[in-house]
Every structure is written in structure tokens, then in C-alpha cells.
Amino acid sequence: MKSIPVNELPIRSKKEIAEGVGKIIHFLHTGQRSAADLLLEELKVRSLYLEEPIQHALLIFAEEVQFQYAYDPWHKVTQEVEAAADKLIENLGFCPPKNER
């Protein structure tokens, strides 16, 4: 796990978390559990310096990803994982992509 500076600007932390969400979804889709777990732990530490709603949304996202790894051996991205990711991104102050299905 890389070191996270305590004095990091909140916007930089939020940007790193948002990018991490994308990477974790990729890891989930490709079955790279250890990489996803390491990144989830890093994001949890990074969120300690941010607002409580962000911390809460990150924990929900992490639980959804870890549940999906345990539940589905093919590690597909479910609607629950997608919804948790969207909520976290919204709490970070970014707009998730519009669902164009």
C-alpha cells in the first residue's frame, strides 16, 4: 500500500478515490481479487480524511465488491455494485456516467 499524505488536498483524495473505483470495477470484472482488496484498503485509509458520507459510501461499495467476489465465481459487476459505485462517486462530488441502456 502506498503512503497517503495526511496533508493531501481533499480534491486530490476525492479524485484518487474516484479513479480507484474504476480500477476496482475492472479488477472485479477480470477476477483480480488481491489487487482489488489492496486498492480497497488504500481507498478506505484515504477516506479517513474526508466527510462521513464519503466514508460510509466507500464502505458500502467495498462490501458490495467483496460480497460479489464471494458470491459469484465469475466476478461480474452487478447492479448493486454499480449503484454503490455511483453513490460513492456522487458523494465525492462527481457525476457518474448516465446509464444509456
Side-chain angles (χ1 to χ4, degrees):
M1 182 184 311
K2 69 181 182 181
S3 176
I4 298 161
V6 175
N7 59 351
E8 181 175 75
L9 293 174
I11 189 66
R12 184 173 303 276
S13 292
K14 291 176 180 181
K15 177 184 165 291
E16 292 292 326
I17 291 172
E19 289 175 354
V21 168
K23 290 176 185 176
I24 289 166
I25 288 173
H26 171 75
F27 294 149
L28 176 63
H29 185 69
T30 58
Q32 299 177 54
R33 184 175 188 161
S34 60
D37 287 344
L38 284 173
L39 187 51
L40 280 170
E41 290 305 313
E42 179 183 317
L43 297 185
K44 287 177 190 177
V45 171
R46 191 178 292 279
S47 78
L48 291 175
Y49 304 104
L50 299 173
E51 300 85 24
E52 188 274 332
I54 294 171
Q55 295 173 13
H56 184 71
L58 179 58
L59 290 175
I60 290 171
F61 173 69
E63 287 176 0
E64 287 295 340
V65 169
Q66 291 169 336
F67 173 80
Q68 191 58 30
Y69 270 120
Y71 177 75
D72 183 1
W74 293 102
H75 310 306
K76 300 296 181 195
V77 179
T78 62
Q79 289 180 335
E80 292 81 10
V81 171
E82 183 179 345
D86 287 349
K87 179 66 175 167
L88 175 54
I89 290 170
E90 286 175 7
N91 283 0
L92 291 167
F94 302 108
C95 296
K98 299 294 180 210
N99 193 354
E100 298 183 19
R101 293 181 192 176

